[in-house]
Amino acid sequence: MACFLQAPMAYSIVSSASSSSRAVRVPKPLKLSCGALGARNASKIPMPPINPKDPFLSKLASVASSSPETLVNSSVNPDTPPFLDLFDSPKLMATPAQVERSVSYNEHRPKSPPPDLPSLLLNGRIVYIGMPLVPAVTELVVAELMYLQWMDPKQPIYLYINSTGTTRDDGETVGMETEGFSIYDALMQLQNEVHTVAVGAAIGQACLLLSAGTKGKRFMMPHAKAMIQQPRVPSSGLMPASDVLIRAKEVRDTLVELLAKHTGNSVETVADVMRRPFYMDANRAKEFGVIDKILWRGQEKVMAEVASPEEWDRNAGIKVMDGF
């Protein structure tokens, strides 16, 4: 297939505008056959593809077909790219080329910031108590319980407990006794089933919350610990000593009655074991009535074969003194 290259060639035209004849030299394209340059090289000349969706090339092609003299006579401005004046309102990017990311790159990215972890757990109807019962924790837990009942009063609520109650690990009081009682009252007002699970520790009033779950739905991890003890009244300031004793007795009597109610033991039994801190592993907590089941695959058979602490002491030759 023959192709041609155009080269300029001058020819003369006589102008009739004036009386004197003047020759005007106008360049005329000269067509040269590719054979003159070599048919071997002509067959290898590539043609660049044209994107029909490119607005600049489309505009340039339309101007070239309608009025080619516009392109021929266009002024050259070294400060701007060529042929940019063909657009009515040319726009240049003030920054280097900005490439738009493809949809496949962003399709898995979140449209909004992710919520916090308590919100994600709340979506699964899980309320987690992982701190001592201070006012901020109590406010959040009670609000979550009320919200879950409002969302669906028939679906169960899962209450996970890992708390030292109103005290810290070293025994320092950090919250009022009303913090635990407020969560307890909120649990008692719910229409939902409450599945309580002890993970780590459930001490003091946290142990009361563990036992306050729905009967048959109170669980404990195999290595979690539970402990009931006498409530500790926080710093009383200028309160008289007699008032401190009255307040401590009222709190203790209320806690004993509630624990006796949910564990199935008598008030005297609970009051007797509360004289000193009463620690319970998973098996002892089940025997005492704090929980109903230990959450571990095959745990009941394995834990039943484990010797009690007293038996371990006897086998080791350790004598336990009375009163301790």
Side-chain angles (χ1 to χ4, degrees), residues 184-185 187-189 207-208 211-215 218 228 253-271 274 288-290 292:
Y184 172 82
D185 289 339
L187 291 175
M188 294 298 101
Q189 295 297 323
C207 185
L208 171 64
S211 65
T214 305
K215 289 289 185 180
R218 303 173 302 174
I228 55 177
D253 292 345
T254 303
L255 184 59
V256 168
E257 293 177 0
L258 294 178
L259 284 172
K261 171 186 175 181
H262 291 286
T263 59
N265 297 291
S266 62
V267 174
E268 293 76 12
T269 301
V270 177
M274 279 184 57
F288 195 75
V290 176
D292 303 303

Side-chain angles (χ1 to χ4, degrees), residues 48-58:
I50 297 178
N51 185 6
K53 297 183 180 180
D54 193 318
F56 180 76
L57 295 180
S58 301

Side-chain angles (χ1 to χ4, degrees), residues 267-289:
V267 174
E268 293 76 12
T269 301
V270 177
D272 184 65
V273 299
M274 279 184 57
R275 294 180 183 275
R276 302 296 298 170
F278 181 59
Y279 287 89
M280 296 172 284
D281 58 7
N283 279 331
R284 180 173 291 186
K286 183 179 178 181
E287 294 173 359
F288 195 75

Side-chain angles (χ1 to χ4, degrees), residues 211-269:
S211 65
T214 305
K215 289 289 185 180
K217 306 295 182 180
R218 303 173 302 174
F219 308 101
M220 194 170 181
M221 294 296 180
H223 299 102
K225 299 294 181 183
M227 189 262 282
I228 55 177
Q229 62 180 356
Q230 297 188 31
R232 302 187 180 187
V233 180
S235 178
S236 55
L238 300 178
M239 184 180 296
S242 58
D243 294 349
V244 174
L245 293 176
I246 294 173
R247 180 178 179 180
K249 183 178 183 301
E250 289 292 335
V251 175
R252 180 181 181 275
D253 292 345
T254 303
L255 184 59
V256 168
E257 293 177 0
L258 294 178
L259 284 172
K261 171 186 175 181
H262 291 286
T263 59
N265 297 291
S266 62
V267 174
E268 293 76 12
T269 301

